[in-house]
Amino acid sequence: MNTTSTHFVPQRRFETYEPLNQIGMWEESFKNNGGLYTPGSIIIPTNEKTDSLSEDTSHGAEGTPHKFDQEASTSRHPDKIQRRLAQNREAARKSRLRKKAYVQQLETSRLKLIHLEQELDRARQQGFYVGNGVESSALGFSDNMSSGIVAFEMEYGHWVEEQNRQICELRTVLHGHVSDIELRSLVENAMKHYFQLFRMKSTAAKIDVFYVMSGMWKTSAERFFLWIGGFRPSELLKVLLPHFDPLTDQQLLDVCNLKQSCQQAEDALSQGMEKLQHTLAESVAAGRLGEGSYTPQMTCAMERLEALVSFVNQADHLRHETLQQMHRILTTRQAARGLLALGEYFQRLRALSSSWAARQREPT
């Protein structure tokens, strides 16, 4: 992983708004308890003649066991002991597999529940418009626009499911022993997954940029932290930084420089957004009172709104570059921990939204 200093300067076009080891425990217990699983000891009754010894022993008469007889018995049945050891090892292995499968089943059920709660949240939002007698055409959605947004929501639902699967995989690998090659492959796949989201959003922004900007495709808690249709990179670095430890001095310097560059680019984009809002408001308000026709104002406003799509794309480009720079600064294992922390952060925001929605439905 490269540790070169990174610093990218925001482009001036921002201002103009351009486009457990159970076997070991069992074996230790076996060692401490000597004859725990050895065959029954040879019993020698007291005050009996020698010729009756074999007869009483064959009938299993009770008496005091002797260590010598136990060792003799043990030496006569080594295969039986080894067979029992193997059986216990196999039983322990199957127990671990059953436990792992049970944990995975619980995790899958939890993720399905989160997904269903997200769909219910979207359904409630859409039901608001239906329940108030507002049709999609009245909101300015054409049939093509509606179908495009529905397609994006379906794609995003699949994207969240795949992200949850990757999070489980990263969590399992980081708690186990895996080669750097395999870990690097998981990191690269997770990075590509985020880049796929940015491409999906770019397509959706061309269909309805207001929909992407509003974050209606996200949960309520995620929308609370929304910045130009997504997360603010500099703020997210603050959240993830504790999970990168230990960092070298050079890595720490590079991360600080990256955060500063992100803040500069974010400020430029935010200023461009403010300027766009100002000029757009002027365009809509232009004209004389009582004209009854808004065609000239709408034409001018529509031209200026084309820049809004560029703002969404540039914000996603900044998010894309931030992830790329972090990938270059960090080691493979640090990057894996960072991606796991990032994914779990969004999972917790979605869980917070579901908890909040459930609280609102509870009777007072």
Side-chain angles (χ1 to χ4, degrees):
M1 190 68 63
N2 297 331
T3 59
T4 57
S5 176
T6 58
H7 185 89
F8 53 88
V9 180
Q11 304 174 8
R12 292 186 61 85
R13 56 194 179 124
F14 292 153
E15 300 178 359
T16 56
Y17 51 92
E18 295 180 359
L20 305 163
N21 192 332
Q22 297 183 11
I23 295 178
M25 295 173 60
W26 186 90
E27 290 177 342
E28 185 66 25
S29 176
F30 179 81
K31 292 177 182 179
N32 294 335
N33 292 280
L36 182 62
Y37 290 95
T38 58
S41 303
I42 299 176
I43 309 303
I44 303 178
T46 57
N47 301 324
E48 292 291 341
K49 295 181 179 180
T50 305
D51 56 359
S52 64
L53 173 62
S54 59
E55 179 181 353
D56 291 338
T57 304
S58 62
H59 286 81
E62 295 182 357
T64 304
H66 293 275
K67 181 177 180 180
F68 172 79
D69 299 313
Q70 289 178 329
E71 292 176 352
S73 177
T74 301
S75 63
R76 288 198 300 268
H77 302 281
D79 295 339
K80 188 174 183 180
I81 295 174
Q82 293 298 325
R83 185 165 58 253
R84 288 183 177 177
L85 283 170
Q87 290 173 350
N88 279 274
R89 292 191 187 98
E90 181 65 17
R93 186 185 68 84
K94 291 181 178 180
S95 177
R96 289 195 300 271
L97 291 176
R98 286 194 297 268
K99 180 180 178 181
K100 181 178 180 181
Y102 177 69
V103 172
Q104 290 177 343
Q105 183 181 4
L106 287 178
E107 182 67 15
T108 301
S109 300
R110 186 181 70 84
L111 296 178
K112 288 181 178 179
L113 179 59
I114 292 176
H115 181 63
L116 288 173
E117 290 173 340
Q118 291 172 353
E119 291 183 345
L120 286 173
D121 188 39
R122 294 194 190 102
R124 285 193 299 271
Q125 294 168 1
Q126 296 171 358
F128 168 78
Y129 299 113
V130 176
N132 285 275
V134 182
E135 298 179 355
S136 61
S137 59
L139 294 171
F141 293 102
S142 63
D143 291 338
N144 291 335
M145 183 182 295
S146 298
S147 60
I149 294 304
V150 170
F152 170 77
E153 287 199 347
M154 292 179 62
E155 284 184 305
Y156 180 68
H158 295 319
W159 186 92
V160 171
E161 290 178 352
E162 176 62 19
Q163 185 194 40
N164 291 334
R165 187 196 66 80
Q166 290 182 356
I167 291 172
C168 293
E169 196 170 14
L170 280 171
R171 187 185 298 120
T172 301
V173 167
L174 286 172
H175 285 83
H177 300 283
V178 67
S179 64
D180 288 341
I181 296 177
E182 184 177 354
L183 188 59
R184 188 179 300 111
S185 176
L186 294 176
V187 169
E188 291 175 353
N189 288 336
M191 294 282 289
K192 292 177 182 178
H193 194 56
Y194 280 102
F195 302 158
Q196 178 190 359
L197 175 61
F198 301 148
R199 290 191 295 268
M200 291 163 48
K201 288 174 59 183
S202 179
T203 302
K206 296 176 182 178
I207 299 172
D208 183 11
V209 67
F210 289 117
Y211 172 82
V212 177
M213 286 284 295
S214 66
M216 293 300 293
W217 45 284
K218 287 181 169 289
T219 59
S220 55
E222 291 176 292
R223 291 197 298 271
F224 181 72
F225 296 96
L226 202 66
W227 175 78
I228 313 183
F231 60 84
R232 186 184 288 268
S234 63
E235 292 296 325
L236 204 59
L237 285 175
K238 296 178 183 178
V239 175
L240 299 181
L241 188 58
H243 300 282
F244 298 145
D245 287 336
L247 288 173
T248 65
D249 293 340
Q250 184 62 49
Q251 285 179 317
L252 186 58
L253 177 61
D254 291 340
V255 172
C256 292
N257 289 336
L258 177 60
K259 185 169 64 175
Q260 183 179 4
S261 298
C262 288
Q263 290 173 338
Q264 292 174 354
E266 291 164 8
D267 291 342
L269 280 171
S270 297
Q271 291 172 8
M273 283 288 295
E274 291 177 1
K275 184 176 180 181
L276 175 60
Q277 290 174 335
H278 178 70
T279 56
L280 185 60
E282 287 182 340
S283 300
V284 173
R288 293 176 297 181
L289 292 175
E291 285 182 332
S293 175
Y294 308 134
T295 302
Q297 291 88 346
M298 294 304 102
T299 302
C300 182
M302 288 292 291
E303 293 175 355
R304 297 184 182 279
L305 276 179
E306 293 295 331
L308 191 56
V309 178
S310 177
F311 273 108
V312 174
N313 291 334
Q314 291 187 55
D316 276 345
H317 178 70
L318 177 59
R319 289 182 269 264
H320 180 285
E321 287 298 311
T322 303
L323 290 174
Q324 284 278 49
Q325 293 293 336
M326 290 304 304
H327 189 204
R328 296 188 185 104
I329 294 172
L330 302 174
T331 65
T332 300
R333 187 162 294 273
Q334 287 173 334
R337 289 206 306 267
L339 288 168
L340 176 59
L342 180 60
E344 289 187 343
Y345 175 74
F346 291 128
Q347 276 188 338
R348 291 167 185 172
L349 286 179
R350 291 192 283 265
L352 178 60
S353 300
S354 301
S355 299
W356 181 254
R359 173 186 175 275
Q360 291 177 323
R361 293 193 297 268
E362 291 177 356
T364 57

